[in-house]
Amino acid sequence: MQTIRFTAEHQIFRDTLRAFIRKEITPYIDDWEKQGEIDRKVWKKMGDMGFMGLNYPEVYGGLELDFYYSLILCEELSYCFSGGFTISALVIQFMSAPYLLKYGSEDLKARYLKPVIAGDMISAVAITEPGAGSDVKQIKTTAVRDGDFYIVNGSKTFITNGYYGDFFITAVKTAPDQGTKGISLLIIDRNASGVSSNKINKLGWHASDTAELGFNNVRVPISHLVGIAGEGFRYLMDGLQLERLTAAVHSLATAESAFQYTLDYIAQREAFGKKIQEFQTIRHRIAQMAANIATTKAFVYHCCDLQDQNEYAVQECSIAKLQASELAVNVVNQCLQLFGGYGFTEDYKIARLYRDVRVGTIIGGTSEIMLEIIAKMTIDHVTYQSGKSKQ
C-alpha cells in the first residue's frame, strides 16, 4: 500500500486554501445555513483562485494538478462545519463537470465547462428520481427525438444545486426499450421552457439547494447530448468511483473536524471538579475514535493513490465510501454525547454536524448498495471494468 507523500507544493496549496476559506467562506457559513442559499460570488472567487478546476486541463481554464490537490480541497472544505456548502462545491467539480470533460463535445466544453471552472456557472447532475435511486436502470424520464431536438418529460429528485444551479447533466431514456443501452446524458438548462424546480426541506445540509425537478415537454437541442446516445449508463458507472471517493473524503474529514472540535470542548469543560477529558471512560472513548479515524484515513488515502493513478477501483472506493460514512455517523454521534445538553443546542456546531453527517450513508449509493457491490466482488467474483461487470 503506497503512502501519500505530500510535497512542499501541496502544503503551500493547503495553506493558501485555508487562508481563502477563513476570509471568504467561514465568516458567511452561518448566514448561508439560515438563508438556505450560498452566495454565488464565492464560486467566482474560487474560480479566480483556480480552486474550481484543479484537475482540469489548462485549455479549459484548469490547473492540471494531481489528484492530491483535490484531496486537500475536499478535506479543507469539509472542515467548514457546513456539509451543505461542501457538497455543493464537490458536486460541481467532482460529480457533474467530469462528464463534460470526459464525454462532452468541444462546443459543450466551451459553453459549459469553461464557465464552471471560471466560477461563472453552477452545475448539477440529475439522476435520482422519485422511483429510482440507486437503481439507475429504473429511471423513467424520457427524451424523444424530434428533428434537431429531444423532447424531455419526467422528474428528478434530491438534486444538489438543482434550484440555484445553471444547468443539469441529466440521465434520460432515449430508447426506453433497450434497458441500460437506452440511457443517455443531456445538458438541460435551468431556465429552459418547461423546467420547474422546487426546493426540498431537509434535515441537514441547509446551505445547499437540494431540489425536485420537473421536465414538461422541454426542448433540448441534440447538440446538448453528452457523448454518444445510449452510453449514459456506462458513463455514470465510470463516474461513480470518483463520486464515492470524494464522498468518503468528505465524511472522514467531517468526522475529524467533529473530533477536534470535541477535543477542544472537553479540555475546557469541567464536571465534578475536573476536566471532562480526565475521566477514564471518556479518555478511552476518545482513544478508540482516534484509532478508528486513523485506520480509515489510511485506507481512504490508499484509494486516493489509486485515483491519482487512474485505477478503476470499484471495490476499494465502495469500501472507502462505506467505512468512512458509517464511521462519521458514529463519531459525530459520540461527540455530540460528550457535549451533553449543549450538544442539543444550536449554540454549538456539533448539532449541525450531527444533522449533516447522517446523509453520508445514503448519497452516492447507500451503505446497503456498497455492501452488495463488495459482496458480489468477494463472493460471486464479479469484476467491474469501465462501467461493465463480468462474472
Side-chain angles (χ1 to χ4, degrees), residues 170-244:
T170 311
V172 298
K173 283 282 185 70
T174 48
D177 59 338
Q178 296 183 25
T180 58
K181 288 295 185 181
I183 297 175
S184 304
L185 299 184
L186 289 179
I187 290 180
I188 301 180
D189 291 316
R190 168 67 180 84
N191 60 2
S193 178
V195 175
S196 61
S197 180
N198 297 300
K199 290 180 73 173
I200 296 173
N201 188 21
K202 310 185 298 296
L203 169 68
W205 281 4
H206 291 167
S208 71
D209 54 308
T210 308
E212 297 174 327
L213 305 178
F215 306 111
N216 182 19
N217 292 324
V218 181
R219 294 176 64 83
V220 180
I222 60 172
S223 60
H224 280 209
L225 177 68
V226 179
I228 301 171
E231 290 293 305
F233 185 79
R234 180 173 68 84
Y235 298 161
L236 292 172
M237 294 304 101
D238 285 348
L240 282 176
Q241 308 325 311
L242 177 58
E243 178 177 342
R244 288 168 180 167

Side-chain angles (χ1 to χ4, degrees), residues 89-141:
L90 300 188
V91 163
I92 294 171
Q93 186 161 176
F94 304 112
M95 303 179 191
S96 56
Y99 294 110
L100 276 172
L101 175 64
K102 290 182 178 180
Y103 312 112
S105 66
E106 288 303 317
D107 177 63
L108 290 178
K109 290 173 182 176
R111 294 174 58 189
Y112 293 98
L113 182 59
K114 281 186 175 181
V116 164
I117 292 173
D120 294 322
M121 296 185 80
I122 299 171
S123 61
V125 58
I127 304 172
T128 302
E129 297 184 0
S134 297
D135 189 0
V136 179
K137 297 187 296 293
Q138 300 304 317
I139 65 169
K140 303 297 183 184
T141 299

Side-chain angles (χ1 to χ4, degrees), residues 15-169:
D15 293 340
T16 301
L17 178 58
R18 281 183 177 175
F20 177 88
I21 290 172
R22 284 195 299 268
K23 179 181 178 182
E24 303 292 352
I25 297 176
T26 305
Y28 309 104
I29 286 292
D30 289 347
D31 289 338
W32 296 342
E33 286 281 328
K34 292 175 183 177
Q35 297 164 6
E37 180 179 1
I38 299 166
D39 189 340
R40 289 182 66 101
K41 293 178 183 176
V42 74
W43 305 124
K44 180 58 178 173
K45 291 177 180 178
M46 289 180 66
D48 290 343
M49 292 292 293
F51 298 148
M52 301 301 291
L54 298 178
N55 303 133
Y56 292 82
E58 292 182 9
V59 66
Y60 304 120
L63 299 180
E64 291 193 60
L65 298 172
D66 61 52
F67 184 72
Y68 303 131
Y69 286 90
S70 292
L71 164 60
I72 293 169
L73 180 75
C74 291
E75 287 181 333
E76 294 300 324
L77 292 181
S78 299
Y79 299 148
C80 292
F81 295 97
S82 172
F85 172 75
T86 305
I87 195 61
S88 292
L90 300 188
V91 163
I92 294 171
Q93 186 161 176
F94 304 112
M95 303 179 191
S96 56
Y99 294 110
L100 276 172
L101 175 64
K102 290 182 178 180
Y103 312 112
S105 66
E106 288 303 317
D107 177 63
L108 290 178
K109 290 173 182 176
R111 294 174 58 189
Y112 293 98
L113 182 59
K114 281 186 175 181
V116 164
I117 292 173
D120 294 322
M121 296 185 80
I122 299 171
S123 61
V125 58
I127 304 172
T128 302
E129 297 184 0
S134 297
D135 189 0
V136 179
K137 297 187 296 293
Q138 300 304 317
I139 65 169
K140 303 297 183 184
T141 299
T142 59
V144 179
R145 183 73 178 266
D146 181 23
D148 292 334
F149 293 86
Y150 284 105
I151 308 301
V152 179
N153 285 281
S155 61
K156 300 290 180 179
T157 193
F158 304 134
I159 308 306
T160 299
N161 298 339
Y163 194 79
Y164 297 114
D166 296 297
F167 66 92
F168 323 119
I169 296 175

Side-chain angles (χ1 to χ4, degrees), residues 1-5 68 245 252 293-307 309 311 313 315-317 319-320 323:
M1 183 181 291
Q2 179 182 343
T3 301
I4 290 177
R5 297 178 179 85
Y68 303 131
L245 178 55
L252 183 61
I293 289 172
T295 53
T296 303
K297 188 170 187 175
F299 186 79
V300 170
Y301 272 26
H302 166 60
C303 293
C304 291
D305 284 333
L306 298 178
Q307 177 66 32
Q309 297 159 18
E311 294 278 348
Q315 184 171 28
E316 291 86 349
C317 288
I319 292 173
Q323 297 296 89

